[in-house]
Amino acid sequence: MTRALISVSDKTGILEFAKGLQALGVEIISTGGTAKLLAEKGVQVTGISEVTGFPEILDGRVKTLHPNIHSGLLAIRDKEEHRKQIEELGIQPIDLVVVNLYPFRETIAKPNVTYEDAIENIDIGGPTMLRSAAKNHAFVTVVVDALDYPIILNEMKNGEVTIETKSRLAAKVFRHTAAYDSLISNYLTKQSGEEWPDQFIVTFEKAQDLRYGENPHQNAAFYQNPLAKSGTLSMAEQLHGKELSYNNINDADAALKLVKEFDQPAVVALKHTNPCGVGIGNTIFDAYQKAYESDPVSIFGGIIAANRKIDRPTAERVKEIFLEIIMAPDFDEEALELLKEKKNLRLLRVGDLRMEPEPELLLSSVSGGVLIQEEDVKQISSESLRVVTERSPSEEEVEQLLFAWKVVKHVKSNAIVLTKDFQTIGVGAGQMNRVGSAKIAIEQAGEKAAGSFLASDAFFPMSDTVEEAAKVGITAIIQPGGSIRDQESIEAANKHGIAMVFTGIRHFKH
């Protein structure tokens, strides 16, 4: 290896790497700011214009896009015709390319980024050099990640960079440029207003390897959105406890999405992506008490998500039972120290938990493809409810119904939720028929069902659910409406003096 081309936006570790290359007798070609930095620090640098015989122009937009560069990268060294051609043209091979790209991701992540600024941070020359070098990786070593600098130097000191390393780095390059292009294409598609383009391209970055997937015989890893925002699971900071598992991550995400629904202090207890207890109160302590008392059995070994800082009194109560995870915007110092006494308890600081008004896209794998839909962030208010029964709910009953509606949205269909005093008392989830879910929720509520409120994620196909509700004294129902047999349910509610409101939207969740 005799010649290296270095051009990096992120200059982490580049000075030490360049000095290491120079000590091994490698000539260094460089551009712009990288060349200036290296020269100032005593590294001998050949400017790119000396190689191309052409100045950097158009504010640096054109500097490496030249035959003297790309012929030096793409020439097949053991092909006589290629050797003759570059020799006749006075082109020297380039053996090592060290490039990272303009910070497009960091640019578009800024809150007030302009379209012009985003466009200016689309790198052209960098990806072109990377792809040229990676294509010819049998003869050219290409580095896009500073973590690989020591590996390259070590192998060079021992003789040469191995073909295994070159192949691995080439694959990394094409992943890197594909991800880079994905961010650009998605940004431009969004700016153009095209909702569902012919190709859907996404990129995720590995956050961690997982011990196994949903079950021990399944391999798994966790990848995160490179543009993820605060308040999402991938941006959470783990303060204590064992590494998260596949099921932990899945459940924690479901709990976060539910607790974001509430403006008041709220706590969600969750098992297997279904809430087993939800409560809101004047304080986070009150909210936790309600969530716990909703189902003291199912909460054991579950996950807690709070939308307020965990204080010491709440931590003292939480510590009394076995939990897998506690998530909150933050923890008081005393609360944190107290909870850290439980060795394996995972504590996650998740930051701001306000619900984003713009829905994310949700991806669900199917055999040979993927389903894509907008996240269900639809909100309703008291003004949007339609009273369909002779008895209208009171203002207080409407607030209770809206609380139940927020919870049932996050329960697997068919879903029925019973609530009372802003606390879940019965959850019927994932049944094949709606009345079956209602019976489960009613049985769980027991004597508390009298005077409670019922929410259904979808309409009643017949009046049987209303009849079951009437048997135990449920006073008001919230459901989407829209069945061809709505009138039967309305008449049943009128017969028993139950107030019923329609939302006009449903919340299927599979």
Side-chain angles (χ1 to χ4, degrees), residues 86-200:
I86 63 173
E87 286 172 6
E88 289 172 1
L89 294 168
I91 297 171
Q92 293 180 269
I94 298 171
D95 309 301
L96 171 66
V97 171
V98 185
V99 169
N100 55 53
L101 307 177
Y102 291 174
F104 183 80
R105 178 181 70 179
E106 293 79 1
T107 300
I108 63 172
K110 296 175 184 175
N112 300 312
V113 63
T114 64
Y115 182 76
E116 292 73 20
D117 194 20
I119 295 299
E120 199 57 36
N121 278 278
I122 296 175
D123 201 326
I124 301 299
T128 307
M129 286 190 293
L130 287 174
R131 291 172 63 85
S132 293
K135 177 176 180 176
N136 204 26
H137 66 269
F139 307 100
V140 181
T141 303
V142 56
V143 188
V144 76
D145 185 351
L147 294 177
D148 291 313
Y149 295 167
I151 297 170
I152 300 302
L153 287 177
N154 185 58
E155 291 195 9
M156 288 176 65
K157 289 173 183 176
N158 291 323
E160 62 179 5
V161 180
T162 65
I163 188 59
E164 291 78 14
T165 297
K166 289 178 179 179
S167 299
R168 178 180 64 82
L169 294 177
K172 180 183 281 193
V173 161
F174 282 111
R175 291 197 304 271
H176 184 73
T177 57
Y180 191 78
D181 285 342
S182 173
L183 290 172
I184 295 168
S185 65
N186 287 339
Y187 175 80
L188 293 177
T189 299
K190 184 177 180 180
Q191 294 298 311
S192 71
E194 189 173 1
E195 188 173 13
W196 299 111
D198 293 339
Q199 288 85 31
F200 184 80

Side-chain angles (χ1 to χ4, degrees), residues 304-419:
I304 292 292
N307 66 355
R308 297 290 192 278
K309 181 187 288 188
I310 298 291
D311 54 23
R312 182 180 176 87
T314 306
E316 288 174 345
R317 294 306 306 270
V318 168
K319 193 185 174 192
E320 294 174 358
I321 62 171
F322 168 64
L323 294 169
E324 291 276 0
I325 302 173
I326 301 175
M327 298 177 290
D330 206 349
F331 297 79
D332 282 349
E333 187 174 338
E334 288 185 347
L336 188 59
E337 291 306 311
L338 186 66
L339 293 171
K340 281 183 175 180
E341 293 175 7
K342 305 197 85 166
K343 180 181 177 182
N344 294 325
L345 176 62
R346 302 162 177 91
L347 303 176
L348 301 182
R349 179 189 288 137
V350 294
D352 188 356
L353 283 177
R354 287 176 296 182
M355 182 176 287
E356 293 289 335
E358 185 176 349
E360 291 188 10
L361 291 180
L362 302 180
L363 281 63
S364 298
S365 297
V366 297
S367 298
V370 64
L371 287 170
I372 306 169
Q373 66 172 343
E374 289 183 343
E375 184 181 8
D376 184 1
V377 297
K378 183 72 173 178
Q379 300 285 307
I380 63 168
S381 64
S382 56
E383 290 77 17
S384 61
L385 299 177
R386 180 162 70 93
V387 179
V388 295
T389 49
E390 294 169 357
R391 186 174 85 79
S392 296
S394 66
E395 288 185 15
E396 182 181 349
E397 286 179 316
V398 167
E399 291 303 312
Q400 297 278 356
L401 289 169
L402 289 174
F403 169 75
W405 182 250
K406 289 178 179 181
V407 176
V408 80
K409 171 182 172 182
H410 295 268
V411 178
K412 294 295 177 67
S413 302
N414 285 314
I416 296 290
V417 168
L418 301 188
T419 66

Side-chain angles (χ1 to χ4, degrees), residues 247-258:
N247 291 330
N248 289 154
I249 292 168
N250 209 23
D251 288 342
D253 183 60
L256 278 183
K257 287 177 178 175
L258 175 49

